[in-house]
Amino acid sequence: MIGRRHPYHPHLLSMLEAARLARGIHLYYLEKGFTQGTKSGPTDLVTQADRESEEAIKELLLSRFPEAGFLGEEGGSEGDRDVRFIVDPLDGTVNYAHGFPFYGVSLALEAEGVIQAGVIMDTARGETFYALRGEGAYLDGRPIRVTERAELLGSLLATGFPYDVAKDAENLIYFGRALKRGLLVRRPGAAALDLAYVAAGRLEGFWEVKLNPWDVAAGWLLVEEAGGRVTDLEGKPYRLGHRYIVATNGRIHEALLQALLSD
């Protein structure tokens, strides 16, 4: 179990509380009904649940840790500080708006450029994935590990596509290469949960192009703390804001990179 003496243990406890608060808002609007609009295009949806859950998360976390900065999908960046929270209040908004049960909330804590804590809560299933750097990854209090599968063929993979895929179709190339090799690829539509599923051993790997820091910050830590590997497409260590992310159980990593990059 995660040690209470970890310097960011209090932050993790508050992040878990904030995630539960956000989930409650998601469920409230599913029951009540919600209005929705668009951001960058007609498929890039935003709902009342996105905005209100981010405000609730922000208010809770910054009231507890007023020295911290905050980077959220809906509200932009606040504070240029050594410690900040990175939040996606509703990852998988399109799924949420259509009643497709694969969406949740993602929260990460970054300190001096390093992700120290991460929480991903699956709203539909009520599952909570979390990690503290150096303390392992957990699902509802139970330790989780990546799978031990070493063969790429037969591994279960996930990917996703940007909202403006007609203008930025690069991942269609990698997706096509994977399918031509007979790889098993799913496209659930919520990157944070995809990464959590790699950490929990439900997927062997995940890759995507053009994700934002709030999409991946918590999941990145979860995968590494569960024994997996996270890089860019060249196999170099991943960094927030990079255009490419590849996360696997580690054993299939090189084979997946080769499959994506080879015609």
Side-chain angles (χ1 to χ4, degrees), residues 4 15 36 47 49 66 83 86 89 98 104 113 115 130 139 164-165 167 184 198 207 211 221 232 253 257 261:
R4 294 180 180 274
M15 290 163 65
Q36 65 185 51
T47 70
V83 176
I86 303 173
H98 287 270
I115 303 300
Y130 58 93
L139 167 56
D164 59 347
V165 68
K167 297 179 181 178
L184 302 173
V198 174
W207 85 88
L211 289 175
L221 179 64
D232 64 14
H253 203 91
L257 291 175
L261 293 174

Side-chain angles (χ1 to χ4, degrees), residues 42-53:
T43 60
D44 186 3
L45 301 182
V46 62
T47 70
Q48 289 166 293
D50 293 82
R51 296 189 176 102
E52 291 191 19
S53 53

Side-chain angles (χ1 to χ4, degrees), residues 26-246:
H26 299 171
L27 295 175
Y28 171 79
Y29 278 110
L30 283 176
E31 181 71 22
K32 178 184 176 181
F34 52 84
T35 59
Q36 65 185 51
T38 60
K39 294 188 287 187
S40 64
T43 60
D44 186 3
L45 301 182
V46 62
T47 70
Q48 289 166 293
D50 293 82
R51 296 189 176 102
E52 291 191 19
S53 53
E54 180 166 310
E55 282 302 312
I57 291 168
K58 183 177 179 181
E59 182 177 351
L60 188 154
L61 293 179
L62 296 190
S63 68
R64 305 271 177 87
F65 309 100
E67 74 284 357
F70 189 91
L71 175 64
E73 180 177 12
E74 305 307 329
S77 179
E78 178 175 312
D80 183 14
R81 301 171 185 174
D82 290 339
V83 176
R84 66 172 177 169
F85 294 100
I86 303 173
V87 173
D88 191 336
L90 179 46
D91 188 45
T93 300
V94 173
N95 290 347
Y96 177 81
H98 287 270
F100 185 80
F102 196 78
Y103 46 83
V105 54
S106 176
L107 305 92
L109 177 73
E110 181 186 52
E112 297 182 352
V114 178
I115 303 300
Q116 298 289 349
V119 172
I120 297 172
M121 183 172 288
D122 183 329
T123 293
R125 294 169 181 79
E127 294 181 326
T128 306
F129 305 84
Y130 58 93
L132 270 176
R133 181 162 297 281
E135 298 282 347
Y138 298 81
L139 167 56
D140 293 335
R142 301 184 302 275
I144 53 176
R145 296 289 294 177
V146 296
T147 72
E148 296 184 2
R149 187 177 184 89
E151 295 295 327
L152 179 60
L153 191 62
S155 292
L156 188 59
L157 311 171
T159 190
F161 300 96
Y163 293 115
D164 59 347
V165 68
K167 297 179 181 178
D168 191 347
E170 182 180 3
N171 199 29
L172 293 178
I173 298 171
Y174 308 133
F175 184 59
R177 289 170 179 169
L179 294 185
K180 286 178 182 178
R181 286 165 172 76
L183 302 184
L184 302 173
V185 185
R186 302 291 182 263
R187 199 272 189 183
L193 286 173
D194 290 335
L195 288 163
Y197 275 30
V198 174
R202 297 172 181 175
L203 295 167
E204 270 74 41
F206 165 78
W207 85 88
E208 197 162 335
V209 178
K210 201 178 178 181
L211 289 175
N212 294 298
W214 48 78
D215 297 313
V216 301
W220 173 21
L221 179 64
L222 275 163
V223 172
E224 291 190 336
E225 286 295 317
R229 183 179 174 192
V230 184
T231 72
D232 64 14
L233 264 179
E234 296 180 343
K236 297 177 182 177
Y238 179 73
R239 64 182 187 277
L240 278 184
H242 199 287
R243 179 172 171 82
Y244 309 101
I245 184 169
V246 182

